[in-house]
């Protein structure tokens, strides 16, 4: 019984450790390929970048490697773009809470927040 409790505790600890350990990146000097490499290797990361409207604000969100990351968390994915050094529209995904309501065709993600 002790071993079962220890194994359960270890599984919970290991499973929850990844949710808190997320890296943050300022991406304005990165290429789109570099951003995709980070997301592919880490699964998710906080990406920060200057607001495209020139207001001086820094925008950020959690972005993921693919829609399945969001689905696995009980959420749905939104296809978004972020501005990087080589393109103002590097394609990415971020997660939104709950099941998707935007796509009735059985896809894994929504095209926009609408």
């Amino acid at each position: 019984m002790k071993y079962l409790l220890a194994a359960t505790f270890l599984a919970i600890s290991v499973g929850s450790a990844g949710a808190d350990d997320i890296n943050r990146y300022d991406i304005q000097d990165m290429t789109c390929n570099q951003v995709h490499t980070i997301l592919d290797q880490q699964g998710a990361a906080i990406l920060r970048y200057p607001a495209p409207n020139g207001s001086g604000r820094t925008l950020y969100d959690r972005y993921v490697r693919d829609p399945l990351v969001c689905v696995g968390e009980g959420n749905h994915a939104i296809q978004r773009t972020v501005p990087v050094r080589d393109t103002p529209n590097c394609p990415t995904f971020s997660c939104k809470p709950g099941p998707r309501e935007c796509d009735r065709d059985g896809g894994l993600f929504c095209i926009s927040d609408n």
Side-chain angles (χ1 to χ4, degrees):
M1 185 67 168
K2 279 195 261 185
Y3 296 112
L4 180 59
L5 288 173
T8 303
F9 177 75
L10 181 61
I12 291 171
S13 297
V14 170
S16 64
D20 295 332
D21 299 335
I22 189 163
N23 292 316
R24 292 158 177 81
Y25 297 91
D26 291 316
I27 62 169
Q28 67 269 11
D29 292 327
M30 292 184 180
T31 65
C32 190
N33 191 42
Q34 288 172 314
V35 168
H36 283 234
T37 297
I38 289 168
L39 295 176
D40 287 345
Q41 290 175 348
Q42 298 179 13
I46 303 293
L47 304 181
R48 298 184 294 213
Y49 51 91
N53 65 7
S55 66
R57 295 182 359 194
T58 298
L59 303 179
Y60 63 93
D61 201 352
R62 178 179 176 260
Y63 294 87
V64 297
R65 108 176 105 230
D66 62 57
L68 292 177
V69 174
C70 301
V71 173
E73 298 169 347
N75 298 316
H76 68 280
I78 300 291
Q79 187 177 36
R80 298 179 55 196
T81 62
V82 293
V84 292
R85 184 179 72 214
D86 61 340
T87 179
N89 297 307
C90 178
T92 60
F93 294 102
S94 66
C95 298
K96 295 293 179 184
R100 64 189 156 80
E101 299 173 357
C102 57
D103 182 11
R104 306 285 183 229
D105 297 329
L108 290 176
F109 63 90
C110 301
I111 300 299
S112 69
D113 291 329
N114 298 334

